[in-house]
């Protein structure tokens, strides 16, 4: 009898290996419910504990493993069907996203799957919008189904020596030098390779739409840190995740994808109930120095820290994705991710203040205009998130200064019988902020800005605290970010922007990159 014993605490396991072991655990649990022992080859059986998997079988190793892999990795009308999560019974949205996500991460290379053609799927969003119409590659087969021959020798016996691992099995673990593949390839024991096969079962996938990164990655792969396989299986099989809609699988950045995964049920609830305290999020693609293979193009570890998760939940609620109808309604709708949430989620995931870097990242009038489309959500972020009192007072003081500045500008133009162009004033203020390259230049700008506005109640009430923030040479970048946040989040009666006109200025390509959030007015 052959025995294969795999433990979650093995020192050689990475996060991806542990995810694979959990995927194997989930697959065996599902097979246990569907296929009785007498119908399994080689009297195949197993024992499952929260941290261990033990497999037992008799006879030819290849026949048993080949049967197991073919039962584990199936197809459903051209879509990848994973036995471990019973994906055939999932909502169609989830099936399509898993299929596309695996093809966009693990199985990017054409040699890893056999395509039979392209299919079109119409996914309903809601009653108010046309469906999303997507196209995907339908498969005839993929490498997981035939991998038993790589784990066994010509006589069908389980291999004893390490085997070379391709990038599709362990994304990012690639040949270090293509001129010497036999000497620089990545190797694993057959047992570790067997575990990695099941990683796609427990991982999650998000459609990635970034506006700040010049990247072609379309999918983010989320690899959870698993400490209890039984508990994680209940998380992965949760009805909320199994029947999630297409729009629930969109993310604007790696941080957005990681935090969405960790908080989908509530504020850090997954970390408490399902023991998923952190995850890795990565993207894969071709890099200039290694065009022959897929490499990791980005990697981020995200932790489910309570304050971070709480602020992210607020961010996701007030800066949601938008369903946008294409120029030709018959072509359906698409999901436009939030520009502001991309910056905020990335900051939260990296442990920064949620507004950090706003002044540097929003470095053009076009980007500033995109940010201002979401001023309502940004204003709610200022009101609802956990911020230091000084930070909130600083934004409030800037809001008051903007209001007084607008008031004077409005009065002046009305006296002349002219149209008040608040956007021009916004550009002037934003340009002044971008010219602040050190603490001294920022102090000159902000004190001049406040002085021109006149009497500012919040500044007078909290003078000492706000002056400490302005005068501290180590805090000037934070204050500059807060000033830009105040400018982008200001809501007042003076601003009578017309969203319809703004939308008319955008062509279809722009709409795909910008969330057209409604401009809220007092």
């Amino acid at each position: 009898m052959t025995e294969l014993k795999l433990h979650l605490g093995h020192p050689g396991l990475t996060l991806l290996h542990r995810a694979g072991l959990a995927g194997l655990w989930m697959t065996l649990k599902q097979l246990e419910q569907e296929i009785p022992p007498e119908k399994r080859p080689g009297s195949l059986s197993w024992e499952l504990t929260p941290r261990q998997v033990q497999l037992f079988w008799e006879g030819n190793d290849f026949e048993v493993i080949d049967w197991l892999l073919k039962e584990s990795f199936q197809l459903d009308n051209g879509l990848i069907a994973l036995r471990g999560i019973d994906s055939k019974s999932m909502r169609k949205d989830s099936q399509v996203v898993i299929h596309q996500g695996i093809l966009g991460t693990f199985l990017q290379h054409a040699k890893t799957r056999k395509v039979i053609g392209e299919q079109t799927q119409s996914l309903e969003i809601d009653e108010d919008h046309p469906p999303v119409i997507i196209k995907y590659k339908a498969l005839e087969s993929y490498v997981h189904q035939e991998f038993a021959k790589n784990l066994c020798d010509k006589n069908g016996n389980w291999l004893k020596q390490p085997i070379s691992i391709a990038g599709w099995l362990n994304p990012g673990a690639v040949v270090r030098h293509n001129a010497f593949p036999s000497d620089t390839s990545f190797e694993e024991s057959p047992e570790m390779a067997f575990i990695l096969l099941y990683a796609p079962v427990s991982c999650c996938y998000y459609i990635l739409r970034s506006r700040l990164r010049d990247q072609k990655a379309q999918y983010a792969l989320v690899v959870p840190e698993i400490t209890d396989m039984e508990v994680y299986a209940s998380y992965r099989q949760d009805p909320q995740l199994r029947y999630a809609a297409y729009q629930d699988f969109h993310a604007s950045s790696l941080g957005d994808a990681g935090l969405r995964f960790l908080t989908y049920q509530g504020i850090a609830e997954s970390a408490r109930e399902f023991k998923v305290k952190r995850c890795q999020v990565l993207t894969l693609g071709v890099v200039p120095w290694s065009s022959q293979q897929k490499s990791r193009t980005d990697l981020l570890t995200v932790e489910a820290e309570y304050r971070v998760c709480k602020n992210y939940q607020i961010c996701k609620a007030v800066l949601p994705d938008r369903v946008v109808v294409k120029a030709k309604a018959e072509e359906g709708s698409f999901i436009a991710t939030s520009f502001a949430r991309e910056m905020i989620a990335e900051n939260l995931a990296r442990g920064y203040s949620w507004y950090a870097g706003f002044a540097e990242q929003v470095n053009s009038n076009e980007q500033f205009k995109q940010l201002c489309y979401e001023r309502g959500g940004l204003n709610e972020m200022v009101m609802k998130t956990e911020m230091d009192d000084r930070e909130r007072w600083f934004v409030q003081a800037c809001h008051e200064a903007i209001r007084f500045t607008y008031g004077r500008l409005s009065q002046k133009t009305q006296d002349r019988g002219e149209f008040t162009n608040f956007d021009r004033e916004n550009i002037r203020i934003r340009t002044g902020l971008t010219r602040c390259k050190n603490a001294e230049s920022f102090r000159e700008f902000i004190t001049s800005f406040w002085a021109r506005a006149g009497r500012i109640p919040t500044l007078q009430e909290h003078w000492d605290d706000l002056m400490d923030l302005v005068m501290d040479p180590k805090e000037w970048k934070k204050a500059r970010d807060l000033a830009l946040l105040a400018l982008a989040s200001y809501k007042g009666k003076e601003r009578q922007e017309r969203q319809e006109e703004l939308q008319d200025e955008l062509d279809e390509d722009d709409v795909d990159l910008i969330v057209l959030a409604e401009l809220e007015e007092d």
Side-chain angles (χ1 to χ4, degrees), residues 18-28 84 198-199 201-202 226 229 232:
R18 292 172 189 162
L21 186 53
L24 174 61
W25 194 101
M26 295 158 61
T27 301
L28 295 175
Y198 287 85
V201 178
S202 59
I226 298 172
M229 295 184 288
Y232 181 75

Side-chain angles (χ1 to χ4, degrees), residues 4 24 55 68-69 151 158 190-198:
L4 187 59
L24 174 61
L55 290 161
L68 180 57
L69 293 181
L151 300 172
W158 189 266
E191 292 78 13
M192 294 297 102
F194 178 63
I195 289 175
L196 287 172
L197 280 171
Y198 287 85

